Amino acid sequence: MYRRTRLAAAVLLAATLTGALAPVAAASGQRDPVQRQLDQLVERDEVPGALAYDGRLTRTAGVADLTTGRPMVDATARFRLASDTKAFTAVAVMRLVADGRIRLDDRAGRYVPQLAGRPVTLRQLLKQTSGLPEYATLVDWSSPGTSEDYLALALAQPPVFAPGTDWGYSNTNYLVLGMVIDKVSGVDFRTYVERVILRPLHLDDTYWPAPGELTLRGPHARNYGINPAHPGAGRVDVTDLPGHEFGASGGLVSTPPDLNTFWNALFEGRLLPHWALRLMTRDTTDVGGRDTYPPGSRYGYGLASIPLTCGGVYWGHGGDLPGDSVAGGRATGGRGTVTVYTTTWAAEGSSLRHLQGAVDAALCAKDR
């Protein structure tokens, strides 16, 4: 989640079917533009493994396990969505809006007592314009707490800015939105997301980790990163993480085919009324050059648009943890959908350029 990446350090400081049929292009194979970007991630940026899946072709580079040298997994393997989870949470909130159960300009304190008296609205939470401080860097992740506990940590800090006056990425915004879903739907936000998104779309390989569950279920690559609590140890295996604790901000685990299915369903109007999707993508803030977003990017409701070199944009979110980075989404102009991920943090410098470059190359392939 952490970005996108703020949660990554905090975590460690304290302690599909379509893909099964898809051809695979290994790092030693064809050198198309997408493959070149993946190869650079491995050869230049020292990423252990990388994968790109565009709904037809799976391209990989590197290995799935540095100890055994096992080849990089295919698109049927699971990985942590990190902050891509926020798009699912945002869609769930917009379903409640579409059903008339909440309004975007309702104050969050109407549903979350800890925010009573604060002028923060649901719209501001979705857009990351609330000014609420980041909770993730304040948590002792070795001792699980509740959403209320985590929110209390954030609220003990001064606001970053007055609500609605600026943009600032904070996992606290989506922590609160999960609490709003709990209150309004009458069920845990995880259950609600399963009801309105995962089950209707048959995303059978996507799940919320159970309390105390550290491992990834089913086939998966190992994940590697620097443990900030022991940076002198260098890059270590960080596959096991307290995924349940990442919650509505970053807890989902999925596969590239499932994630692509989600993006396609959202932008094909299968999850929300068209007016709701228009709000998510038109009520946006310029975030170009901020966080990990390149120039020309805009942030809406749990969605970001990123320009393509071939014209148009793609809509997604992105996410990072010490053990993975995720990019991709659905492009405008009928250019398709792609998911790219790495098995270590790749959120700055050349690794970020190559990660985003792989997305761009896949979605602009028609022009090459």
Side-chain angles (χ1 to χ4, degrees):
M1 52 201 262
Y2 192 124
R3 163 215 262 98
R4 287 171 19 179
T5 43
R6 294 182 184 89
L7 182 55
V11 169
L12 295 177
L13 277 169
T16 245
L17 298 178
T18 306
L21 302 176
V24 175
S28 59
Q30 55 187 294
R31 299 278 294 184
D32 66 13
V34 181
Q35 190 66 53
R36 284 198 296 272
Q37 297 293 328
L38 298 185
D39 291 345
Q40 289 183 85
L41 280 163
V42 172
E43 297 165 6
R44 298 187 183 182
D45 304 323
E46 300 183 345
V47 167
L51 180 148
Y53 176 71
D54 64 7
R56 181 185 63 86
L57 184 66
T58 304
R59 301 167 172 92
T60 67
V63 297
D65 189 322
L66 287 173
T67 300
T68 66
R70 175 167 57 99
M72 183 57 184
V73 295
D74 63 21
T76 63
R78 291 189 172 106
F79 67 103
R80 299 185 191 279
L81 289 191
S83 279
D84 264 6
T85 302
K86 290 180 175 65
F88 289 75
T89 300
V91 169
V93 170
M94 292 304 291
R95 277 293 298 268
L96 293 172
V97 172
D99 291 342
R101 303 177 71 177
I102 57 176
R103 296 179 301 174
L104 287 170
D105 292 321
D106 286 344
R107 290 194 175 189
R110 179 175 180 179
Y111 310 103
V112 180
Q114 285 168 282
L115 290 172
R118 293 180 181 245
V120 173
T121 68
L122 303 186
R123 189 191 306 268
Q124 290 163 350
L125 295 171
L126 287 165
K127 295 180 65 178
Q128 305 272 14
T129 60
S130 73
L132 290 178
E134 177 61 65
Y135 83 92
T137 55
L138 306 172
V139 173
D140 177 359
W141 293 99
S142 65
S143 179
T146 65
S147 295
E148 289 77 12
D149 294 335
Y150 299 154
L151 180 56
L153 291 174
L155 296 182
Q157 307 299 313
V160 180
F161 51 80
T165 63
D166 200 353
W167 183 89
Y169 194 93
S170 173
N171 287 296
T172 306
N173 291 314
Y174 280 75
L175 170 75
V176 174
L177 288 170
M179 298 169 74
V180 171
I181 295 172
D182 292 347
K183 177 67 174 181
V184 177
S185 71
V187 298
D188 181 80
F189 68 83
R190 298 173 181 84
T191 300
Y192 187 73
V193 167
E194 289 171 356
R195 287 180 182 176
V196 301
I197 302 176
L198 305 189
R199 292 177 192 168
L201 296 182
H202 303 289
L203 303 185
D204 299 328
D205 291 317
T206 303
Y207 69 92
W208 296 101
E213 183 176 14
L214 301 180
T215 62
L216 291 169
R217 303 174 195 173
H220 61 274
R222 305 300 297 179
N223 298 113
Y224 302 90
I226 302 298
N227 183 334
H230 306 286
R235 184 164 61 187
V236 296
D237 191 311
V238 291
T239 307
D240 292 349
L241 293 173
H244 179 82
E245 300 303 306
F246 301 167
S249 292
L252 278 173
V253 175
S254 190
T255 63
D258 270 15
L259 184 55
N260 285 4
T261 296
F262 167 74
W263 294 129
N264 289 335
L266 176 59
F267 289 98
E268 289 167 5
R270 290 186 276 143
L271 290 175
L272 293 170
H274 290 295
W275 63 262
L277 180 59
R278 284 196 300 272
L279 274 175
M280 294 180 75
T281 57
R282 293 186 183 180
D283 185 8
T284 61
T285 304
D286 181 357
V287 296
R290 304 181 70 171
D291 204 78
T292 60
Y293 294 113
S297 300
R298 301 192 67 85
Y299 197 96
Y301 298 3
L303 299 171
S305 65
I306 297 176
L308 291 167
T309 59
C310 53
V313 302
Y314 70 90
W315 285 94
H317 192 283
D320 307 282
L321 285 166
D324 77 329
S325 284
V326 188
R330 164 96 168 200
T332 57
R335 293 186 176 279
T337 307
V338 70
T339 291
V340 180
Y341 74 88
T342 60
T343 59
T344 193
W345 187 77
E348 66 180 2
S350 64
S351 63
L352 178 61
R353 291 194 299 273
H354 294 143
L355 177 68
Q356 294 178 339
V359 174
D360 186 87
L363 297 176
C364 289
K366 294 179 181 179
D367 295 340
R368 303 189 192 280

